[in-house]
Amino acid sequence: VETTASNDTIIIMSTPTNNSLFLIGGTGGLGTEVAKGLVTATGFESKKAIVRDASSDKAQALADMGWTLVEVKDLTDADLLETALAGVQTVVSTLSGNDMVSLESNIIQSAKKTGATLFVPSQFGVDFYRWGTEFPFLAGKKAVQEAAAAAELPVLNVFTGYFSDWIFGFFVDLENAKVTWIGDGSDKVSFTSRDDIGYVLAKALADPEYAQGGSLSMQGDYASFNEATKWLGESLGKDIAVEYMNADDAKKLESELLVKGLEGDVGAFFGSFKYHLMGEPARGNDGCNLSKQAKDYGHELKTLKQVFGSGVYSGSS
């Protein structure tokens, strides 16, 4: 790796290797957590993180983990990407945002041209093959799959269920200690803490089963929303008031909010997505039940009680 300085901006240029693992999106909320475990992957000559600003604190945190930084200021520039990805074998993306689909499509094209043999898209969450891709967020996942198929680049999907260290801040009114579940709250789903994902994925990348892609599932816990509410309340030292909503009524509300969201109301859009994630299990969707196919490769994933006990939600209450 060669480091040069130009106008006070650090530019880190990559040099080719025969077998490199690349992480893109490692400075984001999910990426930072995934990077911790993914850097333990074996069988690669180098492990590199593509970042927009190599001098940023978040990028330096990746370097401290053991990642070699490669600066690419514009992920839409195919020439820059192809140069940065020299020697790539596997690309893991943890990108998010409105431009995720277009960016990952660009990455797929550049990775294929530079010899990549596997792409792990930012599809962490429910098993969308069983869950479906009706909701706009999930439709984007399908578009990325189609782009990879068109480029003939094998894809490894990673299904984790809900992020146990994040999702309850989205579902539950922690400040007022109340929540409305859809159905009766008894439907069980899979949960995984974001900082466990990279460790399991790192092991899977060395597993011949996934050399040509496929679907990797993992879970730290499998529990109902009622159980999770009880444990969360205990960790916070308070009783969380629970109400329930009929699944059909929730679906109607989800649809109404989505219409507003697609018209530009961001709050309504995310409200619709919340009802979608909470409501589908109550309507019989098993796309967030990963218990049968989940793998851990000997890594002990955190249970809900362990996640809650870490105090991750204490600052939100």
Side-chain angles (χ1 to χ4, degrees), residues 71-137:
E71 186 173 273
V72 178
K73 291 187 176 298
D74 184 2
L75 292 177
T76 67
D77 189 317
D79 290 336
L80 288 178
L81 266 178
E82 289 171 28
T83 299
L85 289 169
V88 64
Q89 177 184 0
T90 299
V91 179
V92 176
S93 170
T94 55
L95 292 170
S96 61
N98 295 333
D99 56 353
M100 183 194 75
V101 174
S102 61
L103 290 180
E104 288 200 336
S105 297
N106 292 338
I107 291 165
I108 287 167
Q109 295 297 325
S110 295
K112 179 65 177 180
K113 288 181 180 179
T114 49
T117 59
L118 186 66
F119 179 60
V120 181
S122 188
Q123 313 230 337
F124 309 93
V126 299
D127 179 346
F128 61 84
Y129 288 119
R130 290 184 289 140
W131 184 278
T133 55
E134 172 189 351
F135 199 87
F137 269 148

Side-chain angles (χ1 to χ4, degrees), residues 216-247:
L216 167 69
S217 295
M218 66 184 77
Q219 69 172 23
D221 214 333
Y222 180 61
S224 71
F225 291 127
N226 286 335
E227 290 171 324
T229 305
K230 178 178 179 293
W231 299 331
L232 177 60
E234 290 173 349
S235 73
L236 297 174
K238 60 178 67 175
D239 292 327
I240 298 177
V242 180
E243 294 184 355
Y244 299 96
M245 180 184 295
N246 177 274

Side-chain angles (χ1 to χ4, degrees), residues 38-291:
L38 187 60
V39 77
T40 66
T42 59
F44 296 98
E45 292 184 8
S46 61
K47 285 163 274 192
K48 303 179 180 182
I50 290 182
V51 298
R52 289 188 174 93
D53 181 2
S55 64
S56 70
D57 290 343
K58 291 183 178 180
Q60 289 303 308
L62 292 175
D64 290 342
M65 294 177 199
W67 291 95
T68 297
L69 303 182
V70 180
E71 186 173 273
V72 178
K73 291 187 176 298
D74 184 2
L75 292 177
T76 67
D77 189 317
D79 290 336
L80 288 178
L81 266 178
E82 289 171 28
T83 299
L85 289 169
V88 64
Q89 177 184 0
T90 299
V91 179
V92 176
S93 170
T94 55
L95 292 170
S96 61
N98 295 333
D99 56 353
M100 183 194 75
V101 174
S102 61
L103 290 180
E104 288 200 336
S105 297
N106 292 338
I107 291 165
I108 287 167
Q109 295 297 325
S110 295
K112 179 65 177 180
K113 288 181 180 179
T114 49
T117 59
L118 186 66
F119 179 60
V120 181
S122 188
Q123 313 230 337
F124 309 93
V126 299
D127 179 346
F128 61 84
Y129 288 119
R130 290 184 289 140
W131 184 278
T133 55
E134 172 189 351
F135 199 87
F137 269 148
L138 303 176
K141 297 178 184 290
K142 182 179 179 181
V144 170
Q145 297 287 320
E146 292 171 347
E152 298 184 339
L153 179 60
V155 168
L156 174 59
N157 299 303
V158 181
F159 302 137
T160 63
Y162 300 139
F163 298 148
S164 55
D165 60 325
W166 179 86
I167 196 66
F168 294 97
F170 187 46
F171 285 166
V172 181
D173 181 348
L174 295 170
E175 182 177 358
N176 297 301
K178 62 181 182 180
V179 65
T180 299
W181 295 122
I182 296 170
D184 62 6
S186 66
D187 302 286
K188 290 192 171 186
V189 294
S190 297
F191 298 94
T192 300
S193 181
R194 291 175 295 175
D195 60 358
D196 280 324
I197 296 172
Y199 289 98
V200 180
L201 176 56
K203 296 292 186 183
L205 292 179
D207 186 341
E209 178 182 346
Y210 297 115
Q212 298 300 316
S215 295
L216 167 69
S217 295
M218 66 184 77
Q219 69 172 23
D221 214 333
Y222 180 61
S224 71
F225 291 127
N226 286 335
E227 290 171 324
T229 305
K230 178 178 179 293
W231 299 331
L232 177 60
E234 290 173 349
S235 73
L236 297 174
K238 60 178 67 175
D239 292 327
I240 298 177
V242 180
E243 294 184 355
Y244 299 96
M245 180 184 295
N246 177 274
D248 292 334
D249 291 341
K251 184 63 177 178
K252 180 180 178 181
L253 180 56
E254 173 192 325
S255 299
E256 292 172 351
L257 288 172
L258 181 58
V259 170
K260 295 179 180 179
L262 294 176
E263 293 175 346
D265 187 330
V266 176
F269 185 85
F270 281 99
S272 176
F273 190 47
K274 180 178 77 170
Y275 283 114
H276 181 73
L277 292 178
M278 291 195 302
E280 284 302 296
R283 289 186 285 271
N285 192 324
D286 70 345
C288 199
N289 177 359
L290 308 175
S291 56

